[in-house]
Amino acid sequence: MIRSVYCWHMARTFSRRHGAPYVIIDGCIECGICERVCPYDAIFMSDDLEYVVEGDKCPGCHRCLDPCPVDVIIPMSDPRAIKIRDSNKPYVLENWQEIIAAQKGGAKV
Amino acid sequence: MKRFITTDDLARDDRFERTPVPLDFLMAEEVTVEQVEETMKMLLGNKEMIDAMAESQAAGGANLFKRVAPTDAEAPMFIKTQMHGIFMGEMQALEAAGRSCWDFTDDDQLPWKFQLDMARQCWDETRHVETYSALLQHVDAEIGQFPENLFLFEFGCSADPAERVVGVNRCLEGLALDVFEDTIRFGKKAEDEVIWRSVDYVAADEVTHVRFGQVWSKALTENDPERRQKVVNFQRKVDRAFSLGGLRGSYDGANVEGFLPIAAEFRKLAGFTDADIAEVAGAGPKIKK
């Protein structure tokens, strides 16, 4: 519990520095609704033909979460963030590996 | 204090319940009437009101596209829903203005007057929250009676102060002017002086907030055409989302009895030109037949 709260704070702290608290995880059906509803143009299709959340543009407004029909846009603080898609990794946090490792219950951040 | 807080972090006690608003239809180029109707129901978030309107619609009375009159059977529920929606909007406007005050404190390019204007807005919004809290009692409703959606706040999260004032001041507060005009009309028709005078009093402040949006969004992008274009693109997006499915007209236009007409006179006081108003009126998606 303490660790998860600690990691949550870490994720929030770093995401504030970078801008993006959200990522897209496995299960995305590429429907494109998130791209359409994002007011800040922070979601787009990458060269891998997968949707990604761009860290520098996303202010964490939450707008994309409800419209997503398969609930695969999640905060970095969510334990399911371990299922982050490879395409999203370059756009999120510099130290996402450490945060996710800590969420798995392994490494100390 | 944390910057750029998300909607999850907004302070609410256990009286408040949130409702999701998918709203993807409203950002689309084209929508069907059924899609708009569905989204309106989500925005209302009030089952009693939706059921009352469905009954009324079946009997040929008011519906989502025709405003409720004080003599309609669902009028008491309508005014409770309306007041509660405005109350929540004032809360979110207060939070948004407070964030605009704080989030850009290390921006050297931002004039001090920007922060003063945002601080003034915060002070106004706190008064409005108090006013609408009293108005909720006046219409026999209570805080938390209906679910809250965070649709307005979500468009006021940009990390660019010029976009922030577009989202919060020009668009959110602009929409508030339209809702206020509508509520004043309702209050006058109902001969309820408490409602229409109180709302008119609050609207006077909102005009200045919308003006902040008009002035600052232009001033902050004055010598930067690229940034200006980005802000205009953002503004069009928010206008489309706030067009509520393209069903809005202007009080001096054709859609006077339609769903939430644009308060043209209030907006002109806030610095909107006729072209600006026409742009807001035409911002919605096309309705597919």
Side-chain angles (χ1 to χ4, degrees):
Chain A
M1 177 63 187
I2 292 170
R3 184 168 53 219
S4 67
V5 171
Y6 181 59
C7 291
W8 184 87
H9 277 293
M10 289 297 291
R12 286 300 169 103
T13 306
F14 285 111
S15 64
R16 291 282 69 76
R17 186 184 301 163
H18 260 271
Y22 296 107
V23 290
I24 300 177
I25 59 171
D26 290 339
C28 171
I29 56 173
E30 320 295 350
C31 68
I33 285 176
C34 54
E35 183 186 28
R36 202 165 73 219
V37 300
C38 175
Y40 306 102
D41 295 328
I43 302 180
F44 65 94
M45 185 166 266
S46 69
D47 294 341
D48 299 330
L49 301 181
E50 289 186 341
Y51 281 102
V52 299
V53 182
E54 187 167 4
D56 290 337
K57 287 186 178 173
C58 173
C61 76
H62 222 140
R63 182 84 297 269
C64 55
L65 269 59
D66 292 329
C68 176
V70 285
D71 294 328
V72 292
I73 307 176
I74 59 163
M76 275 297 287
S77 53
D78 189 308
R80 290 176 297 156
I82 58 172
K83 290 160 71 183
I84 180 174
R85 299 206 292 185
D86 288 344
S87 55
N88 270 242
K89 289 171 183 171
Y91 298 96
V92 286
L93 316 176
E94 279 173 352
N95 61 337
W96 61 268
Q97 294 99 329
E98 292 168 23
I99 294 168
I100 287 173
Q103 279 169 351
K104 275 179 176 170
K108 188 180 173 185
V109 180
Chain B
M1 195 165 85
K2 196 155 55 180
R3 292 189 193 190
F4 305 117
I5 60 171
T6 68
T7 48
D8 286 337
D9 296 329
L10 296 178
R12 298 285 185 275
D13 62 35
D14 54 14
R15 285 174 296 177
F16 296 90
E17 187 193 329
R18 287 182 184 175
T19 182
V21 183
L23 275 181
D24 51 313
F25 306 132
L26 297 190
M27 300 290 271
E29 298 277 331
E30 276 194 338
V31 292
T32 63
V33 172
E34 291 76 21
Q35 284 175 322
V36 178
E37 219 166 2
E38 201 52 41
T39 311
M40 286 302 137
K41 287 176 185 172
M42 287 173 193
L43 275 172
L44 273 174
N46 172 4
K47 194 175 176 310
E48 282 177 86
M49 183 66 198
I50 291 165
D51 290 347
M53 288 190 106
E55 268 181 40
S56 179
Q57 191 169 0
N63 58 60
L64 285 171
F65 310 114
K66 184 174 178 298
R67 301 307 276 168
V68 177
T71 48
D72 291 336
E74 63 271 46
M77 183 54 70
F78 164 78
I79 197 65
K80 286 180 192 184
T81 309
Q82 182 97 326
M83 286 300 176
H84 198 273
I86 301 174
F87 172 79
M88 297 312 309
E90 295 292 352
M91 291 261 289
Q92 290 177 32
L94 168 60
E95 288 159 331
R99 284 187 56 188
S100 298
C101 234
W102 167 252
D103 285 348
F104 310 113
T105 43
D106 56 1
D107 186 338
D108 298 336
Q109 305 300 312
L110 212 52
W112 172 237
K113 194 173 181 314
F114 176 89
Q115 275 169 323
L116 285 180
D117 282 349
M118 296 302 112
R120 175 185 169 170
Q121 187 182 345
C122 285
W123 173 232
D124 291 344
E125 303 295 3
T126 52
R127 265 199 331 275
H128 300 174
V129 171
E130 290 288 338
T131 304
Y132 279 99
S133 175
L135 281 171
L136 277 175
Q137 287 179 20
H138 177 70
V139 298
D140 204 20
E142 56 188 61
I143 295 169
Q145 185 172 348
F146 310 112
E148 172 188 21
N149 69 68
L150 291 154
F151 168 52
L152 299 172
F153 187 87
E154 287 162 352
F155 288 89
C157 294
S158 178
D160 179 341
E163 286 185 359
R164 181 73 68 85
V165 290
V166 162
V168 176
N169 295 72
R170 185 188 187 274
C171 297
L172 189 164
E173 297 287 278
L175 180 62
L177 283 179
D178 304 335
V179 176
F180 288 1
E181 175 83 63
D182 189 55
T183 313
I184 291 166
R185 291 178 86 219
F186 183 95
K188 284 184 176 171
K189 276 188 190 172
E191 295 179 356
D192 188 326
E193 202 168 335
V194 173
I195 288 180
W196 76 259
R197 281 198 189 277
S198 304
V199 177
D200 206 12
Y201 179 82
V202 171
D205 291 337
E206 302 293 11
V207 166
T208 64
H209 304 163
V210 178
R211 183 175 280 277
F212 291 160
Q214 287 288 91
V215 170
W216 282 114
S217 64
K218 286 174 185 155
L220 294 174
T221 56
E222 201 173 9
N223 300 314
D224 189 343
E226 198 180 326
R227 186 179 176 198
R228 176 71 198 144
Q229 191 54 50
K230 189 168 165 283
V231 170
V232 168
N233 291 344
F234 177 70
Q235 181 178 299
R236 287 185 180 141
K237 251 185 179 183
V238 188
D239 278 341
R240 171 170 292 180
F242 287 10
S243 74
L244 307 175
L247 297 171
R248 308 175 61 199
S250 164
Y251 273 116
D252 50 10
N255 196 18
V256 172
E257 291 300 327
F259 188 88
L260 196 57
I262 291 163
E265 287 309 314
F266 270 145
R267 285 185 183 251
K268 280 179 188 169
L269 284 173
F272 273 65
T273 61
D274 286 333
D276 289 333
I277 291 169
E279 196 170 349
V280 175
K286 286 181 191 161
I287 308 281
K288 275 191 273 191
K289 299 289 178 192

